[in-house]
Amino acid sequence: MSSAQKMPKKSSNWLFYGIAIPATILFTGLVSSSWWIWASAAPSSFGIKVRLTISEGMPTQAIAQELESAGIIRSSLALRLWLQWQSLRGNDSVALKSGTYDLTTNQSLQEVVAQIQTTKSAEVRFTVPEGWTIAQMADLFEKQGFFSAKDFVAAAQRTSPKRRSWLPEDIPSLEGFLFPDTYQILPSEATPDRIINLMLDRFEQVALPVYQESQSGKPKVKVSLKDWVTLASIVEKEAVIDTERRLISGVFWNRLKQNKRLESDPTVEYGLNIRQTPENPLTLEQVRTASPYNTYLNEGLPPGAIASVGLASLKATLDPATTDYLFFVAKYDGSHVFSRTLEDHEKALQAIDKKIQQKAPKQ
């Protein structure tokens, strides 16, 4: 067959591809466009309200799937594509924020994404730091507008084992068992009992397993749940530098074993509801003021905890440093001077008092 005869067949191939390829691209584009219109549209014309919670650190794919499963969007794939498109356009706020949101089924995909990216969560957050007392928590909740401080304090006095079966029966309040952390709650659900339950739940999840594990087998220190939390709360109030927690714990355990009073300033402060500062330290009169919590006057542990306790202090109390120190004094920069004898301790006290006086403005 000659080359002249092959030419028409080659031309017909080019003609086929010239029509088929554009047609395929056009068809794909129409299908894609139709799919996107469907996928990004509201799932329903009825505005059914759906409350959805996005946890901290939840992956985008999981959020998208949750939204699809809840009937808030039609396609999790479409949501991920929309976020990628926003990112390509240089949008700085493409992240989906954690929180609780009230969404409706008649919102488009773009509206749902915009709400989660820009709207405040229906829940509000509050943080209880380590070392806070029930009284401080109560003031925070009153300032947040949840309820009165008085109501929270009253609720925290209810220590019935019905709250939690593991709670010690002879504690004066829930002090020490309300775990310090950051919490989220709907304002409409913010009651004293609801918040207390959240904090007890967190203690049960985070702290209680540490105690139970430590007391199995041959524990380094054998201690009741109540005494553990009580001593840990004193360690919490005394320790500022993390590396000193186990050392402070070791001092207190040494003193308890030798039947020496703990002589801890924070217990005096708690009992008198005061707070000392470098400029206004505890006076001799205050230290001599009788109180069940005053460990300068009373032997052993106080009747209960004096503050909320973080995990670090709880662990340090179960794992004290092996030391022969029996005393320590705060330098008011966060650190302490540790001593083995009363004589060395008194020298450290005098040296620190001298430095404070030198820094004090002259009259």
Side-chain angles (χ1 to χ4, degrees):
M1 190 177 289
S2 67
S3 59
Q5 291 175 311
K6 293 178 183 178
M7 289 299 292
K9 187 174 182 179
K10 189 173 182 180
S11 298
S12 64
N13 286 343
W14 280 109
L15 181 63
F16 170 77
Y17 288 118
I19 296 172
I21 292 175
T24 301
I25 294 172
L26 178 62
F27 177 76
T28 303
L30 288 171
V31 170
S32 298
S33 177
S34 298
W35 176 84
W36 177 254
I37 291 170
W38 171 83
S40 62
S44 171
S45 58
F46 301 101
I48 300 172
K49 187 176 178 180
V50 180
R51 177 165 287 165
L52 184 82
T53 297
I54 298 175
S55 304
E56 189 78 36
M58 193 174 182
T60 299
Q61 185 171 351
I63 297 172
Q65 191 59 54
E66 190 76 18
L67 287 165
E68 181 181 333
S69 299
I72 299 168
I73 61 172
R74 288 183 169 181
S75 168
S76 59
L77 173 61
L79 184 142
R80 298 199 303 275
L81 290 172
W82 180 247
L83 292 178
Q84 289 176 7
W85 173 246
Q86 285 186 318
S87 181
L88 289 171
R89 292 178 62 190
N91 192 330
D92 294 330
S93 58
V94 298
L96 300 177
K97 298 178 181 178
S98 61
T100 298
Y101 299 92
D102 290 325
L103 304 162
T104 56
T105 56
N106 62 349
Q107 290 177 281
S108 68
L109 172 71
Q110 293 87 340
E111 289 171 335
V112 170
V113 170
Q115 182 173 339
I116 297 174
Q117 287 174 335
T118 61
T119 307
K120 286 185 178 180
S121 167
E123 286 187 325
V124 293
R125 289 188 179 191
F126 65 88
T127 298
V128 174
E130 292 88 347
W132 267 28
T133 63
I134 286 172
Q136 288 175 298
M137 298 177 205
D139 288 340
L140 170 69
F141 299 140
E142 184 169 274
K143 289 175 182 176
Q144 290 267 24
F146 292 164
F147 39 73
S148 72
K150 183 180 177 181
D151 287 346
F152 183 77
V153 171
Q157 306 303 313
R158 296 195 286 271
T159 61
S160 168
K162 290 181 180 179
R163 278 193 181 274
R164 295 293 186 280
S165 60
W166 47 264
L167 275 174
E169 294 184 3
D170 56 343
I171 51 176
S173 73
L174 294 174
E175 194 82 87
F177 293 93
L178 303 180
F179 197 77
D181 208 340
T182 296
Y183 298 87
Q184 291 187 174
I185 192 169
L186 292 166
S188 60
E189 297 178 0
T191 65
D193 283 332
R194 172 63 176 149
I195 287 179
I196 284 172
N197 285 334
L198 282 175
M199 300 182 79
L200 288 175
D201 285 344
R202 194 66 51 87
F203 184 96
E204 186 172 345
Q205 295 161 3
V206 178
L208 195 59
V210 173
Y211 171 75
Q212 291 169 334
E213 183 179 350
S214 76
Q215 297 302 290
S216 61
K218 294 183 178 180
K220 188 170 184 178
V221 291
K222 188 70 176 177
V223 62
S224 68
L225 177 61
K226 176 191 172 183
D227 288 351
W228 172 52
V229 173
T230 299
L231 183 55
S233 72
I234 301 174
V235 172
E236 185 69 69
K237 294 298 289 185
E238 292 279 16
V240 177
I241 299 174
D242 194 54
T243 54
E244 290 188 351
R245 290 183 199 277
R246 293 183 62 244
L247 201 53
I248 289 173
S249 171
V251 170
F252 284 140
W253 278 114
N254 286 346
R255 294 185 70 85
L256 287 171
K257 289 174 184 176
Q258 295 184 28
N259 295 317
K260 294 181 181 293
R261 289 187 289 271
L262 293 183
E263 298 183 354
S264 170
D265 286 2
T267 62
V268 177
E269 295 175 64
Y270 185 82
L272 299 179
N273 193 26
I274 58 175
R275 184 182 179 186
Q276 67 172 325
T277 64
E279 298 76 25
N280 295 293
L282 289 176
T283 65
L284 188 59
E285 181 184 0
Q286 289 169 332
V287 171
R288 290 177 175 175
T289 301
S291 160
Y293 289 87
N294 188 331
T295 54
Y296 280 92
L297 301 179
N298 306 312
E299 294 181 354
L301 293 169
I306 62 171
S308 62
V309 196
L311 193 58
S313 292
L314 288 167
K315 287 183 175 180
T317 305
L318 293 170
D319 184 28
T322 301
T323 179
D324 54 358
Y325 287 134
L326 287 170
F327 306 89
F328 62 84
V329 57
K331 294 167 64 177
Y332 294 104
D333 63 355
S335 65
H336 295 79
V337 177
F338 293 84
S339 303
R340 294 174 175 83
T341 66
L342 179 59
E343 181 182 359
D344 288 343
H345 179 58
E346 289 177 341
K347 287 179 181 178
L349 280 168
Q350 291 170 5
I352 291 170
D353 286 342
K354 186 177 180 179
K355 283 186 178 181
I356 292 173
Q357 290 171 8
Q358 288 173 347
K359 290 181 180 180
K362 295 180 180 179
Q363 298 294 332

